[in-house]
Every structure is written in structure tokens, then in C-alpha cells.
Amino acid sequence: MENDQRTIEPAKLKRELKVADAAAFSVGLIGPVGVMALLGAGAASMLGGGATWAFIFALVAVALVAFGFVKLSRHIAHTGSVYATVGLTLGPRAGFIAGWSLLLGYVTIGAGSGIEIGLFVTQLFKDLGIAFEPDWIWITIVALALVVILGRREVHTITRLLLFAELIGAVLVVILDIVIFVRVGAGNAPSGQTFSWKFLALPSGTDISVIAGAAVFGFLAFAGFEGAATLGEETSNPKRDIPRAIKIAIVVVGVFYLITIVAQSLGYGLDAAGIKKFGASSAPYGDLAGAFVGQWLADLLTLAAIFSLFAIFVGTMAGASRVLFALARDSGTQTPLTRVSKHGSPTVALTTVAVLAFLVILIERLTKAAVLDATFWALTIGTIALLVAYVLATLGAIRFLFFGKVASTPKWQIVVPILGLALVVYTLYKNAVGLDAPYSWFPYMVVGWLLIGFLISFRKGLTSSIARNLLAMNTPVLEPGEKVNEL
């Protein structure tokens, strides 16, 4: 019998997670402690003392985009995340391409986080006076090997690791933030910094287009907020707990970011010298902790950033493996990618995405790029790929929630996903047009990857198999007799 004439017996993942686990997975995949170890400085390099606006812009846009994710996850529970939601709302071909884009986003952001681990491990050795400077690629490869080993364990082990890694680091960062606020407010900051509302002031001539350009750092900061959706088949009550987990992750991480970016801006100072130093820094935690508290806290925060980045690495590889597992399982072919270990982990898919991440890391190293450049290059590619997936997911949410036969969302609420879609598309545009190399190349790399996925989607029987298997896994989503439209 032809592959496209049957529905495969789906491989099973273990349902063992609660809302706290799903939220921890999203928070850990975002990795807020590791993110703010570097991305605040990136935003400051473009917006100066007004770096806070990059995160405000991104928080608003992510909240608007998350509206569709939250609503759809009440109807669709699938380990493919964006792949499944788009596949069931816009059609199997669009779903496959969305999942393909999400896969690239997770792999490259994971690789970028692994490279960044090399940056901070080297920094920690230097600060501790250890005369050992290995090439960053070896540190990253060791981290990748540990990710694969850990990723083979039960999923609740992964979620606990992500949660604890972030909690410990977040406590240390908040302590530093409080010290900065107190000393700046009391007027006894190390370099005479004083409190000022100028952290909301933008450089002269800055307009919305500049903010949108800088918002790539903000979007990257929230990359993975939808990660809980990849646990749709491993959560006990996914249609209740996944929406809650997504909302919890955005609120908790958003508050953390806003407090920390304000503290960093005030800590460096909002005069020209402070803004310049902040924008050029490769270790904001170390700079500020050393100045405001002591080197011991700087070292602890560097260590916390390493653990947080490792948590991102684990989370992105786990998320990518589940997306790849779902794409392979629903394709209608028997493939090793659908194998699940006794611990409930898609181990072959995990190994495959780890190989892809290694290739990204190796290519970066062969370019002889500095570790900081290599980090931002991989992270930027990943962010563009995620934004493409978000655009498709938001379009699917609009269609399903406001023009479908099942959901009865009030029509006036359509303004929310439309605004989110507009902000994401504009940010994509600002990060694809008028940039200098190599950043001008990255959108074309993403387009090339999507073209490969588009061509694969025409394999005989692929889309019909995906359509049937998505419906089989999510029969409550559509009315009896209603078909998934193929685009």
C-alpha cells in the first residue's frame, strides 16, 4: 500500500508533565539570565541609553503574537508546536514549512548559545586567574555532547534542570539589580551615576524603524516563549496547562528583562561615556557586579550565565528534536527519526539536530570569526527563522479563531493578532533590508533553508499523510467532515 494511503500508528511520548514543568521549559528555553548577559549591550549599541525600548517593543509584539498561540493551544496539543497549529489551520504544506523554519530557529539559536558558552567560560578562566585559554569551539563541542547525554533522559529531568538553572541565576541578577538601584538612588554609585529617567530617552533622530531594527535583540530575548507547545504530547492536561505555561513564561521573563535592562542602563550611566561603554561591553554582568559589589559576584554571575546558556542549549535541542520527530512521524514513512527511548525521548531526532548544530558551529569556526561575532551571527539567523514561523502561526490563528467553524472568539479581538503580525513583519523587514554584510546575507540563508523545505513538501503523499495524521492526533479541533485545506 502506498504511504499516502494510510495513517501511521504514532510513536508515543510520555504524558507526565504539569503546568509548572511546561512553564519551566519555556523559561529555560528562553534563558533570560544568559540572554541579559549580552543582548542588553547589543540593544544599547543601537539605541544608546534608550535600550529599554527594544525590550518594551519586543514584549508588546510577543504578547500580541502569543495571543494566537495561547488561543490555539486550547484546541491543539501536539509536539510539533507551530508545525501542527499551522498545519491544521493553513494546511499541511504551510505547516511543514512552519515546522521546518522553527527547526532552523531552534538549531541555530542553540548553536549560538553554545558558542556564547565558550565566550563566558574563557572569561571566567581569565577572571579566576586560570592560565588556560582553549579555543571556543572545543568548549562548545563539550557543551553539545553534554546536551545530547542529558537530552536522552526523561523530559521532567530536563524541565527541572532548566528551572533550577534559571532560578539560581535570576536570584543573583536580581540581587545585583537591587544593589544598582539602591546605590544609584542614594547617590553613591562607583562612578557617580545618578538616577535619571533618561533610560527612556532615545538618541536624537531615532524613529520607529531604528527601534524595530534593535528589536531583533528583544525578539531574540523572548525566542522560545512558545517552547511549552512542543510538550503538547508530554503534558498531562495540555489544552489547559500549555496556555497557562506560555502566559507565565512571558510575564515572568518580561518583568525580569525590564528590571534588568533598566538596572544595566543606570549602572553604566546615561552620559555619553557610560552609554558607549555599555554598548561595547561583552560582559555587562561582570562589569557591573565588579564595580557595584565585588569580583566575587561578577564571577558567580558569569558562572550563572554559563548555566543559563547551557539551559538554552538543552531547551533548544530538546525543542528541535521534538519538532523533527513530529515532522518525521507524520510524513507517512518509516524512519529512525520516530524512535523513542525507554525514557520517552526522541533520541535519533535529538542526535540529528545535534549534528545540525555541530555543522553550524563548525562553519562559524571555519570563518575565523571572533567568538562574539559568531554568537550574534547564529542567534540572528535563528531569530529570523523564528519570526517567519511566528508569522505563519499568527496567520493560522487569525483564520482559525475568527473565520473557522469551531472557535467562537469575539470578532473585535482580531485586532490583537493583526497588530502582532504587523509588528513581526515590520521587524523582519527592518532586519532584511539595508544591512551591511554579513547580516545582509542572513535573510537569504533563511530563504534558502525554507526553499529546501518547500521542495521537500512536494514529495509524493507527504502533505496528504501530514493532513490525516494531524487530524488523527487532534480530532477535536475540526468539525466532522471539515478538511484541512492544502496551500
Side-chain angles (χ1 to χ4, degrees), residues 356-392:
L356 291 175
F358 171 75
L359 291 175
V360 172
I361 293 163
L362 181 62
I363 291 170
E364 294 269 30
R365 186 63 189 86
L366 291 176
T367 66
K368 298 183 179 180
V371 61
L372 195 58
D373 287 334
T375 296
F376 277 123
W377 293 353
L379 295 181
T380 301
I381 293 170
T383 302
I384 294 171
L386 280 187
L387 291 179
V388 171
Y390 292 169
V391 167
L392 291 171

Side-chain angles (χ1 to χ4, degrees), residues 396-440:
I398 292 172
R399 184 182 184 198
F400 177 80
L401 297 173
F402 301 101
F403 302 101
K405 298 179 181 179
V406 180
S408 56
T409 308
K411 293 295 185 183
W412 67 267
Q413 292 184 11
I414 195 172
V415 69
V416 177
I418 286 178
L419 283 174
L421 181 65
L423 290 175
V424 172
V425 170
Y426 187 66
T427 303
L428 266 175
Y429 171 77
K430 291 305 297 181
N431 288 279
V433 177
L435 301 177
D436 295 328
Y439 288 90
S440 59

Side-chain angles (χ1 to χ4, degrees), residues 136-465:
W136 61 261
I137 191 172
W138 300 117
I139 299 173
T140 304
I141 289 173
V142 170
L144 179 59
L146 293 175
V147 165
V148 173
I149 293 171
L150 183 62
R152 300 173 68 89
R153 306 300 303 171
E154 294 90 343
V155 69
H156 67 80
T157 301
I158 298 174
T159 61
R160 296 295 192 277
L161 169 72
L162 299 180
L163 179 61
F164 291 140
E166 290 306 316
L167 279 178
I168 294 171
V171 169
L172 294 173
V173 174
V174 170
I175 290 173
L176 175 60
D177 292 344
I178 292 173
V179 171
I180 291 173
F181 287 135
V182 170
R183 293 193 62 180
V184 168
N188 66 344
S191 300
Q193 302 96 315
T194 58
F195 181 83
S196 170
W197 289 101
K198 289 183 179 180
F199 64 81
L200 292 175
L202 292 166
S204 177
T206 302
D207 57 21
I208 187 65
S209 66
V210 178
I211 298 175
V216 70
F217 295 105
F219 272 111
L220 179 54
F222 284 96
F225 78 87
E226 78 298 331
T230 64
L231 303 179
E233 296 172 36
E234 297 167 88
T235 305
S236 299
N237 193 340
K239 294 179 182 180
R240 180 196 67 189
D241 292 344
I242 297 300
R244 293 180 180 178
I246 292 173
K247 289 188 284 187
I248 289 170
I250 292 173
V251 171
V252 170
V253 172
V255 171
F256 176 83
Y257 283 158
L258 293 180
I259 291 173
T260 302
I261 188 62
V262 172
Q264 289 181 345
S265 298
L266 292 173
Y268 277 99
L270 293 166
D271 58 358
I275 292 171
K276 182 178 180 180
K277 185 177 180 181
F278 185 18
S281 177
S282 62
Y285 287 155
D287 293 345
L288 294 172
F292 279 83
V293 180
Q295 188 58 42
W296 64 271
L297 182 58
D299 294 340
L300 283 178
L301 281 169
T302 301
L303 186 62
I306 292 169
F307 279 116
S308 179
L309 291 165
F310 182 73
I312 299 174
F313 209 177
V314 172
T316 50
M317 292 296 98
S321 68
R322 281 154 176 78
V323 172
L324 182 58
F325 165 84
L327 291 172
R329 183 187 63 186
D330 294 350
S331 68
T333 58
Q334 296 299 323
T335 169
L337 290 172
T338 61
R339 290 178 186 167
V340 177
S341 73
K342 64 180 180 179
H343 300 297
S345 171
T347 50
V348 178
L350 174 65
T351 301
T352 303
V353 298
V355 170
L356 291 175
F358 171 75
L359 291 175
V360 172
I361 293 163
L362 181 62
I363 291 170
E364 294 269 30
R365 186 63 189 86
L366 291 176
T367 66
K368 298 183 179 180
V371 61
L372 195 58
D373 287 334
T375 296
F376 277 123
W377 293 353
L379 295 181
T380 301
I381 293 170
T383 302
I384 294 171
L386 280 187
L387 291 179
V388 171
Y390 292 169
V391 167
L392 291 171
T394 304
L395 288 172
I398 292 172
R399 184 182 184 198
F400 177 80
L401 297 173
F402 301 101
F403 302 101
K405 298 179 181 179
V406 180
S408 56
T409 308
K411 293 295 185 183
W412 67 267
Q413 292 184 11
I414 195 172
V415 69
V416 177
I418 286 178
L419 283 174
L421 181 65
L423 290 175
V424 172
V425 170
Y426 187 66
T427 303
L428 266 175
Y429 171 77
K430 291 305 297 181
N431 288 279
V433 177
L435 301 177
D436 295 328
Y439 288 90
S440 59
W441 305 339
F442 299 155
Y444 296 103
M445 294 179 184
V446 175
V447 169
W449 173 264
L450 295 177
L451 180 60
I452 293 172
F454 182 70
L455 294 175
I456 292 174
S457 74
F458 281 94
R459 197 207 75 199
K460 184 179 179 181
L462 179 66
T463 55
S464 58
S465 178

